[in-house]
Amino acid sequence: MIDKRILENVLSDQSEELQIKRSMNFCRRKEEDSVDLKSQLAQVVIGVRRSGKSTLCYNVLQRSGVKFAYVNFDDERLTSLTGKDLNDVLEVFYKMYGNFNYLFIDEIQNIPEWYLFVNRLLRKRMHVIVTGSNAKLLSGELASHLTGRHHDISLLPFSFAEYCDYKNVDTKSQTTLAIALRRAAFDDYMRKGGFPELQDIADGREYIDTLVDNVLKRDIEQRFKISYKAAFEQMAQHLLNVSPTIIVERELKKIFGFKSEHTVRNYVSYLCQAYLVVGLHKYSPKSRLRVVGEKLYPIDVALMNNRTDAFAGENLGWRLETIVFIELLRRCKHKGWDVYYYNDRTKECDFVVCQGNTAVMLIQVSYDILNLKTRKREISGLLHAARKTKCNNLFLLTDHDYEDVKENEYTINIRPVYDWLLQDFE
């Protein structure tokens, strides 16, 4: 049990930290629209570490003008707190703030039986906004602990549009200067990635190394009681080195000496649950074919080579493809659409966007199509997928090309990725 005077001192210090934030400007995130402050459900923001979850919640509360209390349980002075002490936290809040109806809680998973406290607050009609590490706040645990009394919001690192907002890059003007500055901004975004804090760090290797290490050791190994820690970490680093890549369990089992392919599947699942990587299934009308041959992408291009011993080159084509996929995840979730890749062993298409069982968009990604052989291959794969899926909304996204190509009955929209990322998604 912690002395209430110490508790009040800690919470007062944290309140001062918020006062400092009030003098700072933060770019608006699209996911802010998903936080419903009028709802009686707990609003839980989940996502990869360092993606800006706490800042998003602060932005929503601050801009709404509501009166709220705040606590961050990722504070060494609060490590002795237990679930039984949380009522003392509430009492100190009422002393500090008077009556309030909104409570913003950072890293609540550090407190045992936190969900009993949250459930009690929800029954009292308190509006609760929660963030935390994926070690405890995965959707499965939320469903069991909060028994349907929550709404989870997934947050990814900066999109290119958000990056431009953060860097004050003009995304509308069509002057030669404005276009050139957008292209320069995209080159930087493709190299550095979208983690908010990384934008102001000259050398991000240590930052990314620490981030990956925390996800592997704190968010996965501790939670899932990983037996083969060294081999698991080597596999994770390997997958980040070679992604985007199709998972072959038999091969990974042999490389890292696991006892079974089942272990490999579990370990890959843990990486996905911690948002370090994200999976993409193969397009097929048959369910049994969609669940095999999963393709993995890093959650952000910063993870691809900005790590110790990554031994990776620029891999511009892979980076471009990853950026497009992560953007599709953002856009399709809001529409309730699904994304797949197409591969029938003869031809490939990077992305098939589906509304229900109908393909509404096909996207091929290639960094440079100046080489005629490359251009023919990419267009051929796109047209093949179009015939198989009966979709005629076709895009070939590249680093800089802009044209419309007629091929038989199809029109292929060739667009630069930096421009496509800033356009409305239809």
Side-chain angles (χ1 to χ4, degrees):
M1 179 176 293
I2 188 171
D3 187 289
K4 289 183 183 178
R5 291 171 297 180
I6 297 176
L7 185 57
E8 184 173 353
N9 178 257
V10 173
L11 296 179
S12 296
D13 286 348
Q14 293 184 356
S15 179
E16 287 184 1
E17 293 174 13
L18 283 189
Q19 293 294 335
I20 295 174
K21 276 194 170 185
R22 288 191 174 98
S23 64
M24 302 169 65
N25 292 319
F26 300 103
C27 77
R28 195 182 190 286
R29 309 295 297 272
K30 181 178 290 187
E31 289 78 7
E32 291 179 23
D33 295 333
S34 299
V35 180
D36 186 359
L37 294 182
K38 295 181 180 179
S39 173
Q40 291 302 314
L41 302 178
Q43 305 294 297
V44 185
V45 182
I46 56 177
V48 67
R49 284 178 177 268
R50 310 287 180 85
S51 56
K53 300 185 293 292
S54 300
T55 300
L56 179 142
C57 294
Y58 170 78
N59 281 351
V60 171
L61 290 164
Q62 183 67 14
R63 289 169 178 162
S64 70
V66 299
K67 183 178 182 180
F68 67 94
Y70 168 74
V71 58
N72 181 1
F73 287 117
D74 195 19
D75 189 311
E76 77 281 359
R77 296 168 295 179
L78 301 180
T79 53
S80 63
L81 283 182
T82 66
K84 295 179 180 179
D85 298 317
L86 291 177
N87 201 64
D88 290 340
V89 174
L90 191 60
E91 182 181 326
V92 172
F93 276 148
Y94 283 129
K95 180 181 178 182
M96 291 173 56
Y97 296 98
N99 196 18
F100 61 91
N101 292 316
Y102 292 85
L103 179 57
F104 172 21
I105 309 174
D106 249 342
E107 306 295 345
I108 196 173
Q109 79 285 339
N110 290 334
I111 308 300
E113 299 183 332
W114 58 268
Y115 48 90
L116 298 177
F117 176 64
V118 170
N119 274 323
R120 179 160 63 89
L121 293 177
L122 293 175
R123 289 195 297 270
K124 294 175 63 176
R125 313 291 287 180
M126 179 76 74
H127 297 278
V128 182
I129 299 91
V130 174
T131 75
S133 73
N134 299 307
K136 297 291 184 180
L137 286 183
L138 299 169
S139 295
E141 288 197 352
L142 289 169
S144 61
H145 289 325
L146 297 183
T147 58
R149 298 192 183 100
H150 77 282
H151 168 56
D152 60 281
I153 300 104
S154 297
L155 183 65
L156 296 164
F158 279 162
S159 67
F160 180 55
E162 290 167 339
Y163 171 87
C164 288
D165 184 18
Y166 183 83
K167 295 286 189 176
N168 293 315
V169 176
D170 182 353
T171 61
K172 302 296 183 183
S173 177
Q174 293 302 309
T175 66
T176 302
L177 175 60
I179 293 172
L181 291 177
R182 282 199 292 275
R183 291 195 59 177
F186 180 70
D187 287 345
D188 188 57
Y189 175 76
M190 185 165 60
R191 176 182 58 82
K192 183 170 280 189
F195 285 101
E197 293 176 337
L198 198 56
Q199 307 311 317
D200 300 314
I201 298 175
D203 183 3
R205 173 174 286 202
E206 182 179 357
Y207 181 93
I208 294 298
D209 278 342
T210 301
L211 169 62
V212 172
D213 190 63
N214 283 336
V215 171
L216 296 179
K217 293 179 178 177
R218 296 177 61 184
D219 292 348
I220 299 178
E221 291 177 3
Q222 290 182 15
R223 180 182 190 274
F224 294 107
K225 306 295 189 295
I226 299 294
S227 300
Y228 309 102
K229 292 183 175 62
F232 165 70
E233 291 173 16
Q234 288 173 357
M235 186 193 79
Q237 297 285 358
H238 168 72
L239 291 175
L240 290 175
N241 288 344
V242 300
S243 60
T245 185
I246 295 175
I247 295 300
V248 181
E249 288 92 349
R250 180 179 65 257
E251 181 179 314
L252 292 174
K253 169 181 173 290
K254 181 179 180 180
I255 293 174
F256 298 102
F258 297 126
K259 291 184 177 180
S260 70
E261 293 177 20
H262 178 72
T263 299
V264 174
R265 285 191 291 272
N266 282 342
Y267 285 179
V268 171
S269 172
Y270 301 156
L271 292 171
C272 290
Q273 290 183 53
Y275 292 94
L276 197 64
V277 296
V278 60
L280 178 66
H281 291 290
K282 183 190 295 186
Y283 171 85
S284 175
K286 299 178 180 179
S287 180
R288 64 183 177 84
L289 296 180
R290 291 198 300 273
V291 298
V292 298
E294 184 177 26
K295 194 172 186 178
L296 286 189
Y297 289 82
I299 200 67
D300 189 84
V301 293
L303 302 176
M304 296 178 75
N305 66 350
N306 203 7
R307 295 171 291 108
T308 300
D309 295 327
F311 209 74
E314 290 185 310
N315 293 326
L316 298 177
W318 289 0
R319 298 176 84 83
L320 210 64
E321 183 181 330
T322 299
I323 287 171
V324 170
F325 175 53
I326 300 302
E327 182 66 17
L328 284 173
L329 288 183
R330 284 190 190 90
R331 298 181 178 191
C332 290
K333 181 173 181 178
H334 289 290
K335 287 182 171 287
W337 294 357
D338 299 306
V339 188
Y340 304 94
Y341 74 92
Y342 182 89
N343 186 331
D344 68 357
R345 296 186 180 182
T346 61
K347 302 289 183 180
E348 299 179 0
C349 180
D350 292 319
F351 305 112
V352 181
V353 178
C354 291
Q355 182 178 11
N357 61 359
T358 302
V360 296
M361 183 182 300
L362 300 180
I363 297 177
Q364 195 80 293
V365 183
S366 180
Y367 183 79
D368 190 348
I369 57 171
L370 184 61
N371 182 283
L372 292 180
K373 184 177 180 180
T374 301
R375 180 187 177 96
K376 182 178 179 180
R377 182 188 68 237
E378 301 297 346
I379 290 178
S380 177
L382 194 57
L383 293 175
H384 181 80
R387 289 189 288 269
K388 292 293 185 179
T389 62
K390 297 179 172 57
C391 177
N392 59 8
N393 187 20
L394 313 183
F395 285 86
L396 173 52
L397 302 180
T398 75
D399 178 60
H400 55 272
D401 301 279
Y402 198 114
E403 63 177 304
D404 293 327
V405 175
K406 293 282 187 178
E407 290 283 346
N408 300 323
E409 70 272 29
Y410 298 100
T411 298
I412 300 173
N413 305 286
I414 302 178
R415 299 289 184 269
V417 170
Y418 79 89
D419 187 67
W420 177 83
L421 290 169
L422 298 174
Q423 302 304 314
D424 292 334
F425 187 59
E426 298 296 341

